[in-house]
Amino acid sequence: MTSTLITNIGQLVTNDPTHDGTKLGLIKDGALLIEDGVIAWAGPTSDAPTKQIKKTIDAEGMCVLPGYVDSHTHMIFAGDRSNEFRARMLGEIYTAGGIASTVEKTRKASDELLLSHAEFLLAEANAGGTTTVEIKSGYGLTVKDERRSLEIAHKISDETTFLGAHVVPIEYKDSPKDYVDLACGPMLDAVQPHAKWIDVFCDKGAFGVDDARRILKAGIAKGLLPRIHANQLQEGQGVTLGVELDAASVDHVSHLSEKDIELLSTSKTVATLLPGAEFSTRSPYPDVRPLLEASITVALASDCNPGSSYTTSMAFIIAIAVREMHFSPEQAIWSATMGGAKALRRTDIGQLVEGASADFQILNAPSYIHVAYRPGVNLIEQVWRNGLQLI
Ligand code: NIG
Ligand code: FE
């Protein structure tokens, strides 16, 4: 058995309220025992077990928190769209149509290039404190290209999502129903072994609610679990559909009606906010307060994609959420860790409790508040995943 004790943690964020009665479950001068890749114990250094410890690490008063759980990325693609970003910053408006240009480049790219690019993004995410990433397909949009996108995603993550219904590809422009048939039939069959989740972009310029329902139900019938991109660009029926199908998460949700909020508050469905997309499309940020007042579980994720949010930095997302969306620093940290875990319906990540995966970060800072307080500064001292030091 390998056991490592980390002591002298100035502030330990566990997300276990039993420690101090708060959501973040803070322990002052804490310690963490790791055995065989999982957390064996968390508590004050003064109570730390002393027997059979193979290795001790002195955290020198730094802050330790769970690794970020980035529950929403689109990491399988080729090329970038920096010119579109530039045009938006000069006044153009974001539309879902830009996806087609990434589709063209992704189809032309080799498997090796797609994998090495995704590995590069994953390494970047890990270096920023992220220890779990969900990865969607959606830039292939043919049976072959969606299958290989998911095969590649599956090599680097267990949290893979089939997003064949990202947009209708140009070759089906005049027969979108045929594309929906493809996505519910042969394409779904081809990706099924490599996908855990099914997702649909249900919004202006993408898919309507009836097609979204058909596609999600087809996926559920094949054993995939539903999540949905909804209400990003305008209000619509996507959130209602997500709740109806017990989706693990409704994502983007920047335009919610009172009815949407009421529905979410009575469901298990998490609302995932992706402020990188508002940043990069120069759109207004949603206010999280009505969601929290309705006791809705809120996650924060990067939405890493080349069109609307080309970042893997969860620290950046947290800083925006605090500054622009009325998250408290503690709620933002919780949403980027435990919130992400709940959006993936996982109980083994996002928290530093006995039995959970030893996925955590050591910050060169005395408190989690510094993540938002010191925007743009790399505070990462170490990152551990499954009890192994990555950074
Ligand atoms: O999450 N919402 C749909 N898809 C991506 C955008 C993809 C793109 O513009 O390439 C998103 O924002
Ligand atoms: Fe997205």
Side-chain angles (χ1 to χ4, degrees), residues 164-183:
H166 199 183
V167 286
V168 174
I170 350 183
E171 60 276 17
Y172 283 90
K173 180 166 64 60
D174 299 324
S175 54
K177 286 279 166 238
D178 291 345
Y179 185 71
V180 174
D181 289 344
L182 182 73

Side-chain angles (χ1 to χ4, degrees), residues 72 74 229 252 303:
H72 182 135
H74 307 248
H229 273 68
H252 285 284
D303 195 24

Side-chain angles (χ1 to χ4, degrees), residues 72 74 81 94 99 139 166 201 229 232 252 303 305 307-308:
H72 182 135
H74 307 248
R81 284 163 36 213
Y94 176 76
I99 294 170
Y139 291 115
H166 199 183
F201 185 12
H229 273 68
Q232 175 182 4
H252 285 284
D303 195 24
N305 78 77
S308 63

